[in-house]
PDB file of all heavy atoms in Angstrom:
ATOM      1  N   SER S 298       0.832  -1.191   0.000  1.00 97.00           N
ATOM      2  CA  SER S 298       0.000   0.000   0.000  1.00 97.00           C
ATOM      3  C   SER S 298       0.869   1.245   0.000  1.00 97.00           C
ATOM      4  O   SER S 298       1.949   1.256   0.581  1.00 97.00           O
ATOM      5  CB  SER S 298      -0.899   0.020   1.244  1.00 97.00           C
ATOM      6  OG  SER S 298      -1.684   1.200   1.245  1.00 97.00           O
ATOM      7  N   THR S 299       0.365   2.268  -0.653  1.00 97.00           N
ATOM      8  CA  THR S 299       1.027   3.574  -0.613  1.00 97.00           C
ATOM      9  C   THR S 299       0.199   4.554   0.223  1.00 97.00           C
ATOM     10  O   THR S 299       0.511   5.737   0.273  1.00 97.00           O
ATOM     11  CB  THR S 299       1.223   4.141  -2.036  1.00 97.00           C
ATOM     12  OG1 THR S 299      -0.051   4.210  -2.678  1.00 97.00           O
ATOM     13  CG2 THR S 299       2.185   3.286  -2.843  1.00 97.00           C
ATOM     14  N   GLU S 300      -0.835   4.043   0.878  1.00 93.00           N
ATOM     15  CA  GLU S 300      -1.687   4.859   1.745  1.00 93.00           C
ATOM     16  C   GLU S 300      -1.144   4.847   3.167  1.00 93.00           C
ATOM     17  O   GLU S 300      -0.932   3.784   3.749  1.00 93.00           O
ATOM     18  CB  GLU S 300      -3.120   4.319   1.749  1.00 93.00           C
ATOM     19  CG  GLU S 300      -3.791   4.359   0.402  1.00 93.00           C
ATOM     20  CD  GLU S 300      -4.010   5.772  -0.100  1.00 93.00           C
ATOM     21  OE1 GLU S 300      -4.301   6.664   0.720  1.00 93.00           O
ATOM     22  OE2 GLU S 300      -3.872   5.984  -1.315  1.00 93.00           O
ATOM     23  N   ARG S 301      -0.919   6.005   3.733  1.00 89.00           N
ATOM     24  CA  ARG S 301      -0.406   6.100   5.099  1.00 89.00           C
ATOM     25  C   ARG S 301      -1.373   5.478   6.113  1.00 89.00           C
ATOM     26  O   ARG S 301      -0.966   4.950   7.138  1.00 89.00           O
ATOM     27  CB  ARG S 301      -0.143   7.565   5.448  1.00 89.00           C
ATOM     28  CG  ARG S 301       0.459   7.761   6.808  1.00 89.00           C
ATOM     29  CD  ARG S 301       0.701   9.245   7.090  1.00 89.00           C
ATOM     30  NE  ARG S 301       1.184   9.411   8.425  1.00 89.00           N
ATOM     31  CZ  ARG S 301       2.435   9.225   8.805  1.00 89.00           C
ATOM     32  NH1 ARG S 301       3.336   8.867   7.936  1.00 89.00           N
ATOM     33  NH2 ARG S 301       2.780   9.382  10.058  1.00 89.00           N
ATOM     34  N   THR S 302      -2.652   5.515   5.840  1.00 86.00           N
ATOM     35  CA  THR S 302      -3.653   4.953   6.746  1.00 86.00           C
ATOM     36  C   THR S 302      -4.017   3.519   6.360  1.00 86.00           C
ATOM     37  O   THR S 302      -5.150   3.085   6.543  1.00 86.00           O
ATOM     38  CB  THR S 302      -4.917   5.834   6.751  1.00 86.00           C
ATOM     39  OG1 THR S 302      -5.406   5.946   5.417  1.00 86.00           O
ATOM     40  CG2 THR S 302      -4.630   7.211   7.333  1.00 86.00           C
ATOM     41  N   PHE S 303      -3.054   2.787   5.832  1.00 90.00           N
ATOM     42  CA  PHE S 303      -3.287   1.407   5.385  1.00 90.00           C
ATOM     43  C   PHE S 303      -3.796   0.531   6.532  1.00 90.00           C
ATOM     44  O   PHE S 303      -3.557   0.805   7.703  1.00 90.00           O
ATOM     45  CB  PHE S 303      -1.994   0.800   4.823  1.00 90.00           C
ATOM     46  CG  PHE S 303      -0.945   0.532   5.870  1.00 90.00           C
ATOM     47  CD1 PHE S 303      -0.890  -0.685   6.522  1.00 90.00           C
ATOM     48  CD2 PHE S 303      -0.019   1.510   6.212  1.00 90.00           C
ATOM     49  CE1 PHE S 303       0.070  -0.932   7.499  1.00 90.00           C
ATOM     50  CE2 PHE S 303       0.938   1.275   7.186  1.00 90.00           C
ATOM     51  CZ  PHE S 303       0.980   0.048   7.832  1.00 90.00           C
ATOM     52  N   ARG S 304      -4.487  -0.548   6.145  1.00 90.00           N
ATOM     53  CA  ARG S 304      -4.907  -1.593   7.073  1.00 90.00           C
ATOM     54  C   ARG S 304      -4.687  -2.928   6.370  1.00 90.00           C
ATOM     55  O   ARG S 304      -5.064  -3.081   5.204  1.00 90.00           O
ATOM     56  CB  ARG S 304      -6.391  -1.471   7.440  1.00 90.00           C
ATOM     57  CG  ARG S 304      -6.690  -0.276   8.291  1.00 90.00           C
ATOM     58  CD  ARG S 304      -6.157  -0.498   9.702  1.00 90.00           C
ATOM     59  NE  ARG S 304      -6.377   0.646  10.544  1.00 90.00           N
ATOM     60  CZ  ARG S 304      -5.460   1.567  10.790  1.00 90.00           C
ATOM     61  NH1 ARG S 304      -4.281   1.505  10.244  1.00 90.00           N
ATOM     62  NH2 ARG S 304      -5.723   2.569  11.589  1.00 90.00           N
ATOM     63  N   TRP S 305      -4.077  -3.862   7.045  1.00 91.00           N
ATOM     64  CA  TRP S 305      -3.893  -5.208   6.505  1.00 91.00           C
ATOM     65  C   TRP S 305      -4.498  -6.182   7.486  1.00 91.00           C
ATOM     66  O   TRP S 305      -4.030  -6.305   8.617  1.00 91.00           O
ATOM     67  CB  TRP S 305      -2.409  -5.518   6.275  1.00 91.00           C
ATOM     68  CG  TRP S 305      -2.176  -6.881   5.702  1.00 91.00           C
ATOM     69  CD1 TRP S 305      -2.700  -7.379   4.548  1.00 91.00           C
ATOM     70  CD2 TRP S 305      -1.374  -7.920   6.250  1.00 91.00           C
ATOM     71  NE1 TRP S 305      -2.270  -8.656   4.343  1.00 91.00           N
ATOM     72  CE2 TRP S 305      -1.450  -9.022   5.374  1.00 91.00           C
ATOM     73  CE3 TRP S 305      -0.599  -8.045   7.393  1.00 91.00           C
ATOM     74  CZ2 TRP S 305      -0.782 -10.211   5.606  1.00 91.00           C
ATOM     75  CZ3 TRP S 305       0.067  -9.224   7.622  1.00 91.00           C
ATOM     76  CH2 TRP S 305      -0.019 -10.295   6.729  1.00 91.00           C
ATOM     77  N   TYR S 306      -5.528  -6.867   7.064  1.00 91.00           N
ATOM     78  CA  TYR S 306      -6.224  -7.812   7.934  1.00 91.00           C
ATOM     79  C   TYR S 306      -5.870  -9.256   7.614  1.00 91.00           C
ATOM     80  O   TYR S 306      -6.513 -10.160   8.111  1.00 91.00           O
ATOM     81  CB  TYR S 306      -7.732  -7.587   7.835  1.00 91.00           C
ATOM     82  CG  TYR S 306      -8.137  -6.230   8.354  1.00 91.00           C
ATOM     83  CD1 TYR S 306      -8.442  -5.189   7.491  1.00 91.00           C
ATOM     84  CD2 TYR S 306      -8.186  -5.977   9.721  1.00 91.00           C
ATOM     85  CE1 TYR S 306      -8.798  -3.941   7.973  1.00 91.00           C
ATOM     86  CE2 TYR S 306      -8.529  -4.735  10.216  1.00 91.00           C
ATOM     87  CZ  TYR S 306      -8.839  -3.722   9.325  1.00 91.00           C
ATOM     88  OH  TYR S 306      -9.181  -2.481   9.810  1.00 91.00           O
ATOM     89  N   ALA S 307      -4.873  -9.478   6.782  1.00 93.00           N
ATOM     90  CA  ALA S 307      -4.366 -10.811   6.430  1.00 93.00           C
ATOM     91  C   ALA S 307      -5.431 -11.725   5.845  1.00 93.00           C
ATOM     92  O   ALA S 307      -5.521 -12.887   6.222  1.00 93.00           O
ATOM     93  CB  ALA S 307      -3.689 -11.449   7.633  1.00 93.00           C
ATOM     94  N   PRO S 308      -6.240 -11.243   4.898  1.00 90.00           N
ATOM     95  CA  PRO S 308      -7.242 -12.138   4.313  1.00 90.00           C
ATOM     96  C   PRO S 308      -6.570 -13.262   3.534  1.00 90.00           C
ATOM     97  O   PRO S 308      -5.587 -13.048   2.837  1.00 90.00           O
ATOM     98  CB  PRO S 308      -8.035 -11.218   3.382  1.00 90.00           C
ATOM     99  CG  PRO S 308      -7.058 -10.161   3.000  1.00 90.00           C
ATOM    100  CD  PRO S 308      -6.193  -9.957   4.232  1.00 90.00           C
ATOM    101  N   ASP S 309      -7.080 -14.441   3.686  1.00 91.00           N
ATOM    102  CA  ASP S 309      -6.579 -15.623   2.960  1.00 91.00           C
ATOM    103  C   ASP S 309      -5.118 -15.948   3.258  1.00 91.00           C
ATOM    104  O   ASP S 309      -4.447 -16.575   2.442  1.00 91.00           O
ATOM    105  CB  ASP S 309      -6.769 -15.448   1.446  1.00 91.00           C
ATOM    106  CG  ASP S 309      -8.213 -15.174   1.090  1.00 91.00           C
ATOM    107  OD1 ASP S 309      -9.095 -15.801   1.691  1.00 91.00           O
ATOM    108  OD2 ASP S 309      -8.455 -14.328   0.210  1.00 91.00           O
ATOM    109  N   GLN S 310      -4.593 -15.502   4.393  1.00 95.00           N
ATOM    110  CA  GLN S 310      -3.216 -15.815   4.769  1.00 95.00           C
ATOM    111  C   GLN S 310      -3.220 -16.803   5.935  1.00 95.00           C
ATOM    112  O   GLN S 310      -4.064 -16.724   6.821  1.00 95.00           O
ATOM    113  CB  GLN S 310      -2.445 -14.557   5.166  1.00 95.00           C
ATOM    114  CG  GLN S 310      -2.344 -13.522   4.075  1.00 95.00           C
ATOM    115  CD  GLN S 310      -1.645 -14.031   2.839  1.00 95.00           C
ATOM    116  OE1 GLN S 310      -0.685 -14.789   2.912  1.00 95.00           O
ATOM    117  NE2 GLN S 310      -2.149 -13.642   1.682  1.00 95.00           N
ATOM    118  N   ALA S 311      -2.282 -17.706   5.920  1.00 95.00           N
ATOM    119  CA  ALA S 311      -2.161 -18.692   6.987  1.00 95.00           C
ATOM    120  C   ALA S 311      -1.580 -18.050   8.244  1.00 95.00           C
ATOM    121  O   ALA S 311      -0.882 -17.034   8.169  1.00 95.00           O
ATOM    122  CB  ALA S 311      -1.255 -19.830   6.529  1.00 95.00           C
ATOM    123  N   ALA S 312      -1.869 -18.645   9.377  1.00 96.00           N
ATOM    124  CA  ALA S 312      -1.243 -18.190  10.623  1.00 96.00           C
ATOM    125  C   ALA S 312       0.262 -18.388  10.502  1.00 96.00           C
ATOM    126  O   ALA S 312       0.727 -19.322   9.854  1.00 96.00           O
ATOM    127  CB  ALA S 312      -1.793 -18.978  11.804  1.00 96.00           C
ATOM    128  N   GLY S 313       1.026 -17.498  11.097  1.00 96.00           N
ATOM    129  CA  GLY S 313       2.479 -17.610  11.055  1.00 96.00           C
ATOM    130  C   GLY S 313       3.152 -16.263  11.135  1.00 96.00           C
ATOM    131  O   GLY S 313       2.528 -15.247  11.419  1.00 96.00           O
ATOM    132  N   VAL S 314       4.439 -16.261  10.859  1.00 97.00           N
ATOM    133  CA  VAL S 314       5.248 -15.040  10.925  1.00 97.00           C
ATOM    134  C   VAL S 314       5.320 -14.405   9.543  1.00 97.00           C
ATOM    135  O   VAL S 314       5.549 -15.092   8.541  1.00 97.00           O
ATOM    136  CB  VAL S 314       6.667 -15.350  11.449  1.00 97.00           C
ATOM    137  CG1 VAL S 314       7.538 -14.102  11.432  1.00 97.00           C
ATOM    138  CG2 VAL S 314       6.590 -15.933  12.855  1.00 97.00           C
ATOM    139  N   TYR S 315       5.126 -13.095   9.510  1.00 98.00           N
ATOM    140  CA  TYR S 315       5.237 -12.308   8.289  1.00 98.00           C
ATOM    141  C   TYR S 315       6.228 -11.180   8.549  1.00 98.00           C
ATOM    142  O   TYR S 315       6.503 -10.827   9.694  1.00 98.00           O
ATOM    143  CB  TYR S 315       3.870 -11.737   7.886  1.00 98.00           C
ATOM    144  CG  TYR S 315       2.927 -12.810   7.416  1.00 98.00           C
ATOM    145  CD1 TYR S 315       2.242 -13.606   8.330  1.00 98.00           C
ATOM    146  CD2 TYR S 315       2.745 -13.056   6.070  1.00 98.00           C
ATOM    147  CE1 TYR S 315       1.392 -14.619   7.900  1.00 98.00           C
ATOM    148  CE2 TYR S 315       1.898 -14.056   5.628  1.00 98.00           C
ATOM    149  CZ  TYR S 315       1.235 -14.840   6.550  1.00 98.00           C
ATOM    150  OH  TYR S 315       0.414 -15.842   6.119  1.00 98.00           O
ATOM    151  N   TYR S 316       6.749 -10.624   7.484  1.00 98.00           N
ATOM    152  CA  TYR S 316       7.751  -9.561   7.593  1.00 98.00           C
ATOM    153  C   TYR S 316       7.228  -8.330   6.877  1.00 98.00           C
ATOM    154  O   TYR S 316       6.501  -8.434   5.905  1.00 98.00           O
ATOM    155  CB  TYR S 316       9.076 -10.027   6.994  1.00 98.00           C
ATOM    156  CG  TYR S 316       9.560 -11.269   7.690  1.00 98.00           C
ATOM    157  CD1 TYR S 316       9.212 -12.531   7.224  1.00 98.00           C
ATOM    158  CD2 TYR S 316      10.310 -11.181   8.849  1.00 98.00           C
ATOM    159  CE1 TYR S 316       9.614 -13.669   7.898  1.00 98.00           C
ATOM    160  CE2 TYR S 316      10.715 -12.319   9.530  1.00 98.00           C
ATOM    161  CZ  TYR S 316      10.360 -13.560   9.042  1.00 98.00           C
ATOM    162  OH  TYR S 316      10.746 -14.689   9.714  1.00 98.00           O
ATOM    163  N   TYR S 317       7.601  -7.163   7.387  1.00 97.00           N
ATOM    164  CA  TYR S 317       7.130  -5.926   6.776  1.00 97.00           C
ATOM    165  C   TYR S 317       8.288  -4.976   6.532  1.00 97.00           C
ATOM    166  O   TYR S 317       9.334  -5.057   7.172  1.00 97.00           O
ATOM    167  CB  TYR S 317       6.072  -5.240   7.645  1.00 97.00           C
ATOM    168  CG  TYR S 317       6.594  -4.750   8.972  1.00 97.00           C
ATOM    169  CD1 TYR S 317       7.208  -3.502   9.079  1.00 97.00           C
ATOM    170  CD2 TYR S 317       6.498  -5.534  10.113  1.00 97.00           C
ATOM    171  CE1 TYR S 317       7.703  -3.053  10.297  1.00 97.00           C
ATOM    172  CE2 TYR S 317       6.980  -5.091  11.333  1.00 97.00           C
ATOM    173  CZ  TYR S 317       7.580  -3.858  11.414  1.00 97.00           C
ATOM    174  OH  TYR S 317       8.078  -3.414  12.608  1.00 97.00           O
ATOM    175  N   ALA S 318       8.078  -4.077   5.590  1.00 97.00           N
ATOM    176  CA  ALA S 318       9.017  -2.994   5.301  1.00 97.00           C
ATOM    177  C   ALA S 318       8.186  -1.732   5.085  1.00 97.00           C
ATOM    178  O   ALA S 318       7.336  -1.698   4.197  1.00 97.00           O
ATOM    179  CB  ALA S 318       9.843  -3.301   4.061  1.00 97.00           C
ATOM    180  N   VAL S 319       8.404  -0.729   5.928  1.00 96.00           N
ATOM    181  CA  VAL S 319       7.736   0.559   5.792  1.00 96.00           C
ATOM    182  C   VAL S 319       8.775   1.525   5.240  1.00 96.00           C
ATOM    183  O   VAL S 319       9.789   1.782   5.878  1.00 96.00           O
ATOM    184  CB  VAL S 319       7.188   1.068   7.143  1.00 96.00           C
ATOM    185  CG1 VAL S 319       6.536   2.432   6.974  1.00 96.00           C
ATOM    186  CG2 VAL S 319       6.205   0.068   7.734  1.00 96.00           C
ATOM    187  N   LYS S 320       8.540   1.998   4.023  1.00 97.00           N
ATOM    188  CA  LYS S 320       9.530   2.840   3.343  1.00 97.00           C
ATOM    189  C   LYS S 320       9.163   4.310   3.437  1.00 97.00           C
ATOM    190  O   LYS S 320       8.038   4.703   3.156  1.00 97.00           O
ATOM    191  CB  LYS S 320       9.639   2.436   1.877  1.00 97.00           C
ATOM    192  CG  LYS S 320      10.680   3.242   1.129  1.00 97.00           C
ATOM    193  CD  LYS S 320      11.146   2.541  -0.105  1.00 97.00           C
ATOM    194  CE  LYS S 320      12.152   3.322  -0.916  1.00 97.00           C
ATOM    195  NZ  LYS S 320      12.977   4.257  -0.251  1.00 97.00           N
ATOM    196  N   TYR S 321      10.126   5.078   3.865  1.00 96.00           N
ATOM    197  CA  TYR S 321      10.058   6.535   3.859  1.00 96.00           C
ATOM    198  C   TYR S 321      11.080   7.032   2.845  1.00 96.00           C
ATOM    199  O   TYR S 321      11.918   6.280   2.372  1.00 96.00           O
ATOM    200  CB  TYR S 321      10.371   7.101   5.247  1.00 96.00           C
ATOM    201  CG  TYR S 321       9.183   7.114   6.162  1.00 96.00           C
ATOM    202  CD1 TYR S 321       8.701   5.936   6.720  1.00 96.00           C
ATOM    203  CD2 TYR S 321       8.522   8.294   6.457  1.00 96.00           C
ATOM    204  CE1 TYR S 321       7.594   5.939   7.554  1.00 96.00           C
ATOM    205  CE2 TYR S 321       7.415   8.314   7.296  1.00 96.00           C
ATOM    206  CZ  TYR S 321       6.963   7.130   7.835  1.00 96.00           C
ATOM    207  OH  TYR S 321       5.862   7.146   8.647  1.00 96.00           O
ATOM    208  N   THR S 322      11.047   8.301   2.543  1.00 95.00           N
ATOM    209  CA  THR S 322      11.960   8.872   1.562  1.00 95.00           C
ATOM    210  C   THR S 322      13.422   8.554   1.893  1.00 95.00           C
ATOM    211  O   THR S 322      14.179   8.141   1.019  1.00 95.00           O
ATOM    212  CB  THR S 322      11.782  10.410   1.498  1.00 95.00           C
ATOM    213  OG1 THR S 322      10.409  10.703   1.356  1.00 95.00           O
ATOM    214  CG2 THR S 322      12.566  11.002   0.347  1.00 95.00           C
ATOM    215  N   ASN S 323      13.815   8.704   3.150  1.00 93.00           N
ATOM    216  CA  ASN S 323      15.217   8.543   3.543  1.00 93.00           C
ATOM    217  C   ASN S 323      15.486   7.366   4.464  1.00 93.00           C
ATOM    218  O   ASN S 323      16.616   7.193   4.913  1.00 93.00           O
ATOM    219  CB  ASN S 323      15.721   9.806   4.234  1.00 93.00           C
ATOM    220  CG  ASN S 323      15.787  10.982   3.295  1.00 93.00           C
ATOM    221  OD1 ASN S 323      15.850  10.807   2.085  1.00 93.00           O
ATOM    222  ND2 ASN S 323      15.756  12.178   3.831  1.00 93.00           N
ATOM    223  N   LYS S 324      14.473   6.571   4.788  1.00 93.00           N
ATOM    224  CA  LYS S 324      14.686   5.482   5.741  1.00 93.00           C
ATOM    225  C   LYS S 324      13.679   4.378   5.508  1.00 93.00           C
ATOM    226  O   LYS S 324      12.571   4.630   5.030  1.00 93.00           O
ATOM    227  CB  LYS S 324      14.563   6.010   7.178  1.00 93.00           C
ATOM    228  CG  LYS S 324      14.950   5.005   8.215  1.00 93.00           C
ATOM    229  CD  LYS S 324      15.160   5.654   9.550  1.00 93.00           C
ATOM    230  CE  LYS S 324      15.648   4.569  10.508  1.00 93.00           C
ATOM    231  NZ  LYS S 324      16.098   5.074  11.752  1.00 93.00           N
ATOM    232  N   GLU S 325      14.066   3.154   5.863  1.00 95.00           N
ATOM    233  CA  GLU S 325      13.158   2.017   5.768  1.00 95.00           C
ATOM    234  C   GLU S 325      13.138   1.303   7.109  1.00 95.00           C
ATOM    235  O   GLU S 325      14.183   1.051   7.700  1.00 95.00           O
ATOM    236  CB  GLU S 325      13.609   1.067   4.657  1.00 95.00           C
ATOM    237  CG  GLU S 325      12.608  -0.013   4.362  1.00 95.00           C
ATOM    238  CD  GLU S 325      12.953  -0.779   3.100  1.00 95.00           C
ATOM    239  OE1 GLU S 325      14.145  -1.037   2.869  1.00 95.00           O
ATOM    240  OE2 GLU S 325      12.025  -1.118   2.359  1.00 95.00           O
ATOM    241  N   TYR S 326      11.951   1.008   7.598  1.00 94.00           N
ATOM    242  CA  TYR S 326      11.774   0.304   8.851  1.00 94.00           C
ATOM    243  C   TYR S 326      11.347  -1.122   8.523  1.00 94.00           C
ATOM    244  O   TYR S 326      10.408  -1.326   7.761  1.00 94.00           O
ATOM    245  CB  TYR S 326      10.694   0.986   9.707  1.00 94.00           C
ATOM    246  CG  TYR S 326      11.029   2.407  10.057  1.00 94.00           C
ATOM    247  CD1 TYR S 326      10.661   3.447   9.207  1.00 94.00           C
ATOM    248  CD2 TYR S 326      11.710   2.712  11.218  1.00 94.00           C
ATOM    249  CE1 TYR S 326      10.967   4.772   9.518  1.00 94.00           C
ATOM    250  CE2 TYR S 326      12.021   4.027  11.549  1.00 94.00           C
ATOM    251  CZ  TYR S 326      11.641   5.044  10.691  1.00 94.00           C
ATOM    252  OH  TYR S 326      11.940   6.341  10.999  1.00 94.00           O
ATOM    253  N   LYS S 327      12.009  -2.113   9.124  1.00 97.00           N
ATOM    254  CA  LYS S 327      11.698  -3.508   8.868  1.00 97.00           C
ATOM    255  C   LYS S 327      11.454  -4.233  10.175  1.00 97.00           C
ATOM    256  O   LYS S 327      12.014  -3.863  11.205  1.00 97.00           O
ATOM    257  CB  LYS S 327      12.841  -4.193   8.127  1.00 97.00           C
ATOM    258  CG  LYS S 327      13.092  -3.629   6.742  1.00 97.00           C
ATOM    259  CD  LYS S 327      14.228  -4.350   6.064  1.00 97.00           C
ATOM    260  CE  LYS S 327      14.449  -3.793   4.666  1.00 97.00           C
ATOM    261  NZ  LYS S 327      15.531  -4.525   3.985  1.00 97.00           N
ATOM    262  N   GLY S 328      10.630  -5.265  10.108  1.00 96.00           N
ATOM    263  CA  GLY S 328      10.360  -6.044  11.293  1.00 96.00           C
ATOM    264  C   GLY S 328       9.479  -7.237  10.960  1.00 96.00           C
ATOM    265  O   GLY S 328       9.259  -7.565   9.790  1.00 96.00           O
ATOM    266  N   SER S 329       9.000  -7.887  11.998  1.00 97.00           N
ATOM    267  CA  SER S 329       8.152  -9.057  11.793  1.00 97.00           C
ATOM    268  C   SER S 329       6.879  -8.898  12.611  1.00 97.00           C
ATOM    269  O   SER S 329       6.813  -8.113  13.553  1.00 97.00           O
ATOM    270  CB  SER S 329       8.885 -10.323  12.204  1.00 97.00           C
ATOM    271  OG  SER S 329       9.210 -10.294  13.568  1.00 97.00           O
TER     272      SER S 329
END
């Protein structure tokens, strides 16, 4: 998503660990 007010409800995804990357102009935040 490119929307700052995004929502992800994990439709059709299995239970488990997922990883994310939030990109800003000068920095990227990553985590699980």
Side-chain angles (χ1 to χ4, degrees):
S298 179
T299 57
E300 298 295 324
R301 183 180 176 80
T302 57
F303 70 90
R304 290 288 178 262
W305 181 57
Y306 295 103
D309 304 320
Q310 300 300 322
V314 176
Y315 290 80
Y316 302 91
Y317 65 85
V319 178
K320 182 159 178 27
Y321 277 74
T322 310
N323 293 338
K324 188 165 184 170
E325 189 169 39
Y326 299 88
K327 296 180 179 182
S329 62

